[in-house]
Amino acid sequence: MTQNETKTKSSRTISMSLSITYFTISLVINAMGNVLTLVTSDHIHPAFLGSAYWTAEANLGHAILGNNSLALFWAFLVLGMLISFLNAFLMKKLDWKRILGNFIFMLPFSIFIQWFSNIFNQIMPDAKSLPMVILYIVINFVGVALIGTAISIYQRVNLVLHPADDLMQILRFKYFKGSAFKAMWASYIPPTIFAIIAFIITFPNLYNFGLGTLFVFLFQGGITGIADKLVFRNLDHQAVDVGE
């Protein structure tokens, strides 16, 4: 592990006000990045781009709720909370404070997702030319980079986490010796299961999986590891707890 990864697991080295500032910045960046991958995927026809891997859980929300205007909100909130209980199982303890923190994260995050989705869907037209398609591919990859960067920031702050990123952090430090790359891959097992369920419900239609999703699968963990070293370089992992 690097010094940034092995520094104290039991204490905080930054103030609460600074922690909240970092967290707020990362929350907005993460929601925006996720929505950019979704919107660019939705506005290329035929669809081939796909969205961020966890964002693709929106498939299950739409499969169950249809085109309900709040489908994204409920998909991210409910499925996220299911993952928080998986995390408790992996840690071998039911930490209600941690689960409450997951919920506290999910509520504004889900609201931001729905808000950014409404905005970008209005201002980004369908890509009807090759230059527009190329531009949307670039924006999609930028969205992935924003997500990876945001994950790096709020995992290091470790104030409250998205359950999926809490899962990655537990896997990273408990099972994969600090490797963000390996932990990210392992953390993709639950959304893969969600996608299979959505595919069964909506067969033969399945959206939000494609080139961008493959890019996420291959590189997002690495982007998070790089951001650990380059973005807010003096921010170390704070009070990491991955159970016994």
Side-chain angles (χ1 to χ4, degrees):
M1 294 186 197
T2 66
Q3 180 181 2
N4 197 42
E5 292 168 338
T6 57
K7 207 164 183 175
T8 180
K9 291 187 177 184
S10 60
S11 63
R12 291 190 173 274
T13 59
I14 60 175
S15 67
M16 182 57 65
S17 60
L18 187 56
S19 295
I20 292 172
T21 300
Y22 280 133
F23 171 73
T24 303
I25 292 170
S26 65
L27 189 68
V28 173
I29 292 173
N30 193 21
M32 183 180 296
N34 272 283
V35 170
L36 285 176
T37 67
L38 272 175
V39 173
T40 50
S41 175
D42 288 344
H43 288 261
I44 292 179
H45 306 288
F48 71 88
L49 193 50
S51 63
Y53 208 88
W54 273 97
T55 311
E57 71 191 47
N59 285 311
L60 188 53
H62 286 300
I64 295 173
L65 300 175
N67 291 322
N68 188 297
S69 61
L70 294 177
L72 282 179
F73 172 81
W74 287 112
F76 277 86
L77 184 63
V78 175
L79 297 178
M81 294 311 299
L82 288 177
I83 297 302
S84 69
F85 286 98
L86 170 62
N87 296 341
F89 174 78
L90 292 174
M91 291 178 63
K92 300 178 182 178
K93 65 177 181 179
L94 192 60
D95 186 343
W96 287 106
K97 182 179 178 181
R98 190 167 187 147
I99 291 173
L100 177 61
N102 291 157
F103 178 78
I104 290 171
F105 183 105
M106 288 300 303
L107 190 58
F109 178 70
S110 300
I111 292 171
F112 275 131
I113 286 283
Q114 192 68 61
W115 184 62
F116 279 124
S117 177
N118 293 340
I119 291 173
F120 286 121
N121 272 311
Q122 290 179 7
I123 65 176
M124 295 178 67
D126 286 350
K128 297 181 179 179
S129 65
L130 181 59
M132 282 287 286
V133 170
I134 294 173
L135 175 62
Y136 277 21
I137 292 173
V138 172
I139 293 174
N140 187 283
F141 289 177
V142 168
V144 172
L146 290 175
I147 296 167
T149 300
I151 291 171
S152 166
I153 297 169
Y154 61 65
Q155 278 192 340
R156 282 180 284 158
V157 172
N158 199 27
L159 195 59
V160 291
L161 294 174
H162 185 291
D165 301 318
D166 201 7
L167 171 62
M168 178 199 167
Q169 183 142 286
I170 292 167
L171 293 170
R172 179 178 183 180
F173 291 110
K174 188 170 184 176
Y175 298 101
F176 294 110
K177 300 180 180 180
S179 172
F181 188 72
K182 293 178 181 178
M184 185 69 75
W185 273 18
S187 73
Y188 287 154
I189 295 174
T192 300
I193 294 172
F194 293 155
I196 292 171
I197 295 171
F199 182 67
I200 292 171
I201 295 173
T202 62
F203 181 83
N205 299 313
L206 185 64
Y207 306 102
N208 300 324
F209 279 91
L211 178 63
T213 317
L214 178 62
F215 181 80
V216 171
F217 188 80
L218 294 175
F219 299 112
Q220 186 169 294
I223 291 170
T224 298
I226 292 170
D228 282 352
K229 299 177 177 65
L230 299 181
V231 180
F232 299 132
R233 298 176 65 176
N234 294 324
L235 176 60
D236 297 303
H237 283 89
Q238 306 290 306
V240 175
D241 177 15
V242 294
E244 296 297 330

